[in-house]
Amino acid sequence: MTGRIEGRARVFGDDVNTDYIISSARKKETIDEQMLKRYLLETVDPSFAASVRDGDVLVAGRNFGCGSAMEVAATVILAAGIRAVIAQSFARTFYRNAINNGLLPIECDTSDTREGDALSITLSSSGIVVENDRTLRRQTVPTLTGIVGDILDAGGLVAYIRRAGRFVQRP
């Protein structure tokens, strides 16, 4: 994995569950993430979705993505133009859904990140570096390697399988 993501921190707290990310009531209408992105995190902040800019980075505390295992929670974040979520920890099902859909989950200390901080994430074979321009804090966490890194590099599990030549399309 190589590359760089630069964006504005959009900060939330601990235990942001998948129903907060996208309400169950909205999922009854459709599971099309392009339609649902306008309701992203509306339970927590009704004006959030309208304020998202392409490249923003979600930042949270512990247990991000707890709750149901609906993968639309990860895909709606991507549809809004957010390519990475930084949290102190993730619910395991959300973590896997993020990877399987090409959303980068990064576990590191987020305690001093504030709303609007300019963040940069550098991806390399030697590690993932998260930098905060306001605090000048620089954190390095291990690169996601093996098949997890390969899936993210491909843009998600389906793209990975297609690239690997192991996907059979049915008519």
Side-chain angles (χ1 to χ4, degrees):
M1 283 189 336
T2 59
R4 187 171 176 90
I5 298 170
E6 294 181 340
R8 167 179 71 142
R10 304 307 306 271
V11 179
F12 294 89
D14 295 337
D15 302 312
V16 175
N17 72 48
T18 54
D19 269 341
Y20 292 164
I21 296 168
I22 190 64
S23 166
S24 288
R26 299 295 184 186
K27 292 183 285 191
K28 289 177 185 174
E29 298 166 16
T30 181
I31 58 167
D32 178 356
E33 62 271 4
Q34 292 301 319
M35 297 293 291
L36 291 173
K37 69 182 180 182
R38 71 182 96 165
Y39 307 113
L40 179 63
L41 289 155
E42 75 176 335
T43 305
V44 180
D45 178 356
S47 65
F48 179 76
S51 71
V52 171
R53 293 190 298 223
D54 204 37
D56 281 352
V57 177
L58 281 184
V59 178
R62 291 185 285 295
N63 203 27
F64 185 85
C66 57
S68 73
M70 289 284 289
E71 74 177 331
V72 71
T75 60
V76 75
I77 292 170
L78 280 167
I82 297 169
R83 296 176 37 219
V85 179
I86 302 171
Q88 291 182 17
S89 66
F90 291 90
R92 298 319 291 170
T93 52
F94 180 86
Y95 188 83
R96 287 304 305 177
N97 282 335
I99 290 166
N100 287 342
N101 285 284
L103 176 64
L104 178 62
I106 301 171
E107 289 187 339
C108 67
D109 184 11
T110 59
S111 60
D112 61 356
T113 304
R114 303 290 174 256
E115 180 73 18
D117 282 358
L119 303 177
S120 62
I121 302 165
T122 305
L123 310 167
S124 73
S125 59
S126 60
I128 300 172
V129 178
V130 178
E131 296 177 87
N132 184 318
D133 286 356
R134 181 185 59 81
T135 64
L136 303 179
R137 184 172 190 184
R138 179 184 168 110
Q139 298 180 75
T140 303
V141 298
T143 297
L144 299 171
T145 59
I147 194 167
V148 171
D150 293 345
I151 290 170
L152 283 167
D153 278 342
L157 184 59
V158 171
Y160 168 79
I161 292 170
R162 283 186 178 136
R163 182 184 291 173
R166 297 185 194 114
F167 185 76
V168 178
Q169 289 192 353
R170 296 177 191 243

